Amino acid sequence: MKATFLGHGLDTGDQNNVGKQLVASFESRDYYYFQGFIAFASISGTKMLEPFLKKAKSQFDKIRFYIGVDNRGTSKEALESLLEQGVETYIYRDKRKFVTYHPKLFLFEGEKFTRIIIGSSNLTSQGIKTNLEASIQLDFLTKTDKQGQKLINEIKSYYSDLMDLTTPKLQLLTSQLLEDLVKQNLLFIQFRENGKVEEPKNNDGENTEKEQDNIEIKDFDIKSGFEQKDTTTNRSNKKSFGDSDYEKFDALIERYIIYKKTKRPSGIVSKHTEDRELFHWYQKIHKLYNQGGDSLPFEIFERLLDAEFPFGGIGRERKRLIKWNKDFNKVVGYKNKVDPNSEYTYVPQFKNKSNPYYEVGRWCAWQKQRRKGNKNYGPELTEYEERKMQSINFIWEFDSTMYKRPKDDEWTDSLVELENYYSKKKNYKTVPSQKTYIGHWLNDQMTLKLRQDRENRSDLMSEIREEMLGNLLAKNGVEWEWEKQKHREGIENKIASWRFVEELKRNNQIKEFRDKKPKILKKHRDNIAQLRSQSKKWNNDKNRWKYKLLDEVGFPYNKI
């Protein structure tokens, strides 16, 4: 879980505030469900968010507000704005005296990530822009962060009566309800007859009957709440990747690639270059990278990496990252082959070095040590590497109960035991007894494979397991349908006896061969007799395939 402090009002140079983070969250594709619990709302707050709410409605499954009307802290115009936008809004009203609905809580939920913003900011211009406010933003992985899961479950449990809409204190905002709230004098009016917009100094705590003073708001700019000017004398040298950087990036990286090809293959932009814009861009990219964290946006960093941008000087770090990416792609390849339908990625550390994925498992084990800060395994995992592993839901600590996946290393150990069985020549073209562990295991694998083929499925045995076990069996003369193989080879052996005897007859050598080798001839004729006898019992769906073997060679039998 990552915690970030969001504060504004004391220092206009602060980069983080609730307003900016709400906008970033509504614009993000990481979330699909939003719920906001807000004590007070004004038109300045709802208007600032209006364009971003409109965009979010096209990609979010649900956007819902729970807003209070205590102490006349919410305006008629704010609720009108939400109603006109079609934003699902519920009004919470507790009629008890001295009880105020007072939360400021925003929940963004997604398949991979969850974000919680909680603090002192209401949905007002002051609350998300100018007041002295303090909030905390908590970001965590939706399905794997146990502490985050515990927190979100506690919040949902506490607010369950609101979320499932069962409390009688909650009403859906409609035109009629809005009209009733105005008649009951529960909302304040912001649009005055003189055209001015006013917001009250609302009583933020106890109920009071005293008339409140108003603050006159001459004008407001929808976007002004999200960009702040730094007026402090102690300016930070920290750089950020802004909107203008995004706009210019495509053109500048194309110029950089041409510069690399034609002037400096090392990728270092000389301070003497005539293209001063390219030089300053190159310098800024380096500074953003060296600042660490998320200073350099993830998607921008990946494009720079593809262009072989020389991070860390002449390219030592770039070469390390390129090699890391190649190894990462091997993990992706393993996952797509072994378990493509799973939402998680788990790679065991295989014990058998002959396993084709031994190195992949070993690499993943190294990343786990790096993540723990073990310096013997290289530098600590970078933000970029961490996010790449998160993108495939890599399982750092295996828990078979949580992820409902078998341990691949145990399966591989069984395969190694089967290899040891076949290392003895006497076991060629045999299978271990089912009374042994390995024989029972092999029978289970064969059953899964045949059932998967029969039912046209792909979830019973992964492609890589089928390939690894299939290769070992084929190498040792064993087919997946072992019982069928034994029957077929028995029939083929008896057909060979029949062909041998027929050849003796054609050459008039029966008498001579009987005189010399009577026991062998008797064995061949017994095989032929057994085959004719057995063929009388094959007239059923299970055994009818055996007739084809006889028909292919012209063996005479009584067809039923």
Side-chain angles (χ1 to χ4, degrees):
M1 180 185 291
K2 180 181 179 182
T4 305
F5 174 72
L6 307 179
H8 53 86
L10 281 177
D11 182 353
T12 56
D14 291 336
Q15 294 299 309
N16 296 326
N17 66 32
V18 171
K20 289 183 178 181
Q21 293 310 106
L22 288 176
V23 168
S25 304
F26 279 126
E27 289 191 321
S28 173
R29 294 188 177 276
D30 289 333
Y31 311 108
Y32 60 82
Y33 193 34
F34 166 79
Q35 296 184 92
F37 301 80
I38 301 160
F40 310 128
S42 70
I43 186 64
S44 60
T46 58
K47 277 293 183 183
M48 283 183 186
L49 292 185
E50 183 172 334
F52 308 102
L53 283 170
K54 182 178 180 180
K55 182 178 179 181
K57 282 180 67 179
S58 65
Q59 65 186 46
F60 276 51
D61 292 340
K62 184 177 287 295
I63 296 176
R64 179 187 288 176
F65 285 99
Y66 307 86
I67 299 178
V69 292
D70 294 332
N71 308 325
R72 298 183 76 239
T74 293
S75 77
K76 167 179 174 285
E77 290 78 6
L79 298 184
E80 281 179 337
S81 172
L82 293 173
L83 198 56
E84 289 170 3
Q85 294 177 60
V87 176
E88 184 180 6
T89 304
Y90 288 86
I91 304 302
Y92 186 92
R93 185 185 176 198
D94 192 328
K95 298 180 180 180
R96 292 176 295 171
K97 275 198 169 186
F98 308 109
V99 175
T100 301
Y101 177 75
H102 209 246
K104 292 90 176 176
L105 172 65
F106 306 92
L107 306 180
F108 291 88
E109 297 179 75
E111 184 70 18
K112 291 184 179 179
F113 304 103
T114 295
R115 170 170 289 174
I116 300 172
I117 300 174
I118 185 168
S120 62
S121 292
N122 281 306
L123 188 56
T124 64
S125 173
Q126 296 97 323
I128 61 178
K129 183 178 68 171
T130 56
N131 276 355
L132 273 68
E133 303 285 358
S135 297
I136 291 293
Q137 175 177 297
L138 301 170
D139 293 310
F140 57 90
L141 292 174
T142 302
K143 297 181 179 178
T144 57
D145 191 312
K146 293 182 179 179
Q147 185 178 3
Q149 289 175 340
K150 181 176 182 292
L151 176 61
I152 196 76
N153 288 337
E154 287 175 347
I155 291 173
K156 288 183 176 181
S157 175
Y158 183 78
Y159 285 104
S160 61
D161 287 348
L162 277 70
M163 291 183 176
D164 59 20
L165 310 178
T166 57
T167 175
K169 299 173 183 177
L170 208 61
Q171 290 180 277
L172 176 66
L173 178 61
T174 62
S175 298
Q176 182 59 54
L177 177 61
L178 182 60
E179 186 177 328
D180 292 342
L181 293 173
V182 171
K183 288 179 180 179
Q184 295 173 50
N185 198 30
L186 294 174
L187 305 176
F188 71 90
I189 309 299
Q190 290 189 262
F191 290 162
R192 300 300 183 181
E193 292 180 357
N194 59 9
K196 293 181 179 180
V197 180
E198 297 178 344
E199 294 198 37
K201 294 178 180 177
N202 56 62
N203 176 16
D204 207 29
E206 297 180 355
N207 298 71
T208 178
E209 300 299 327
K210 292 183 179 180
E211 189 169 337
Q212 301 173 43
D213 294 331
N214 288 326
I215 300 172
E216 180 179 311
I217 300 178
K218 295 181 179 180
D219 196 8
F220 62 86
D221 185 332
I222 292 176
K223 294 184 178 179
S224 66
F226 307 104
E227 295 293 335
Q228 298 178 338
K229 295 179 180 179
D230 190 347
T231 59
T232 62
T233 55
N234 184 22
R235 294 180 62 89
S236 170
N237 290 323
K238 189 173 182 179
K239 292 186 176 294
S240 62
F241 197 90
D243 291 341
S244 62
D245 293 307
Y246 272 109
E247 292 172 3
K248 297 177 181 178
F249 184 78
D250 288 341
L252 282 166
I253 196 169
E254 287 302 319
R255 279 156 57 186
Y256 173 74
I257 291 170
I258 294 171
Y259 177 89
K260 261 190 72 176
K261 289 181 179 178
T262 59
K263 296 183 179 180
R264 301 280 299 265
S266 67
I268 297 176
V269 179
S270 169
K271 64 181 179 181
H272 302 297
T273 183
E274 295 178 0
D275 190 342
R276 304 312 297 166
E277 185 182 24
L278 182 65
F279 173 72
H280 291 303
W281 173 82
Y282 171 83
Q283 293 286 88
K284 183 174 183 178
I285 292 296
H286 263 295
K287 185 160 187 176
L288 288 168
Y289 174 75
N290 292 331
Q291 282 177 183
D294 56 358
S295 298
L296 199 57
F298 186 71
E299 67 278 10
I300 295 298
F301 180 74
E302 287 214 304
R303 290 186 62 185
L304 290 165
L305 201 58
D306 290 339
E308 299 188 356
F309 190 92
F311 298 109
I314 293 182
R316 182 176 57 199
E317 177 66 3
R318 172 182 60 79
K319 290 178 180 177
R320 186 192 73 79
L321 286 169
I322 289 174
K323 172 67 167 58
W324 189 93
N325 261 325
K326 288 180 179 177
D327 291 330
F328 171 81
N329 288 332
K330 291 178 182 177
V331 176
V332 176
Y334 169 88
K335 193 264 182 192
N336 290 338
K337 194 167 186 179
V338 173
D339 202 356
N341 298 320
S342 174
E343 58 185 308
Y344 299 102
T345 300
Y346 169 66
V347 183
Q349 189 172 3
F350 300 102
K351 297 177 182 178
N352 183 7
K353 291 185 178 181
S354 64
N355 187 300
Y357 291 100
Y358 173 81
E359 289 297 333
V360 176
R362 186 168 179 266
W363 182 84
C364 290
W366 276 63
Q367 306 317 300
K368 293 176 182 179
Q369 292 299 323
R370 288 181 59 207
R371 192 170 188 254
K372 293 176 181 178
N374 191 331
K375 294 182 180 180
N376 294 325
Y377 292 83
E380 191 171 343
L381 215 63
T382 65
E383 179 76 15
Y384 168 76
E385 293 167 332
E386 179 79 36
R387 290 185 66 178
K388 287 283 280 188
M389 299 301 272
Q390 287 177 0
S391 71
I392 59 173
N393 279 341
F394 183 80
I395 298 175
W396 294 104
E397 298 295 335
F398 183 79
D399 183 345
S400 59
T401 302
M402 177 181 293
Y403 302 109
K404 298 179 181 179
R405 294 195 58 218
K407 291 187 177 181
D408 282 4
D409 47 356
E410 291 182 1
W411 188 93
T412 307
D413 287 345
S414 298
L415 187 68
V416 171
E417 189 172 337
L418 186 62
E419 286 178 338
N420 293 334
Y421 171 84
Y422 283 124
S423 66
K424 300 174 183 178
K425 292 182 179 180
K426 67 176 183 177
N427 291 332
Y428 180 79
K429 226 172 194 181
T430 66
V431 297
S433 168
Q434 287 196 43
K435 293 180 180 180
T436 64
Y437 162 77
I438 196 60
H440 184 74
W441 175 83
L442 178 57
N443 181 69
D444 287 345
Q445 303 307 304
M446 288 177 162
T447 302
L448 287 175
K449 168 65 168 63
L450 296 179
R451 181 185 171 194
Q452 180 164 277
D453 291 345
R454 184 172 62 252
E455 298 177 2
N456 194 27
R457 296 169 63 172
S458 60
D459 59 327
L460 299 179
M461 177 176 285
S462 68
E463 184 179 345
I464 186 59
R465 286 186 176 184
E466 181 179 338
E467 179 183 332
M468 293 169 66
L469 179 53
N471 288 342
L472 177 60
L473 294 176
K475 183 180 176 181
N476 290 280
V478 176
E479 300 173 8
W480 286 107
E481 293 188 84
W482 171 240
E483 289 299 320
K484 186 174 181 179
Q485 178 186 352
K486 287 192 295 181
H487 286 296
R488 188 192 72 246
E489 290 179 350
I491 294 171
E492 289 172 345
N493 183 55
K494 293 178 175 67
I495 288 175
S497 291
W498 171 73
R499 280 177 161 170
F500 180 78
V501 172
E502 289 299 303
E503 184 67 20
L504 290 176
K505 288 179 180 179
R506 279 195 297 272
N507 296 325
N508 295 318
Q509 294 176 338
I510 284 287
K511 185 176 180 304
E512 180 183 350
F513 190 86
R514 183 182 59 217
D515 292 341
K516 290 181 178 180
K517 300 178 180 179
K519 290 184 179 180
I520 294 179
L521 182 60
K522 183 179 184 302
K523 181 178 179 181
H524 283 305
R525 284 180 164 168
D526 287 345
N527 283 342
I528 297 169
Q530 286 177 13
L531 187 56
R532 286 199 176 99
S533 175
Q534 290 170 351
S535 67
K536 296 177 181 179
K537 304 175 183 179
W538 294 346
N539 191 25
N540 54 63
D541 291 338
K542 182 179 179 181
N543 293 305
R544 197 166 286 118
W545 62 271
K546 299 175 183 177
Y547 285 134
K548 292 183 180 179
L549 298 177
L550 304 186
D551 292 338
E552 285 174 0
V553 298
F555 182 85
Y557 64 96
N558 294 325
K559 295 185 180 181
I560 301 174

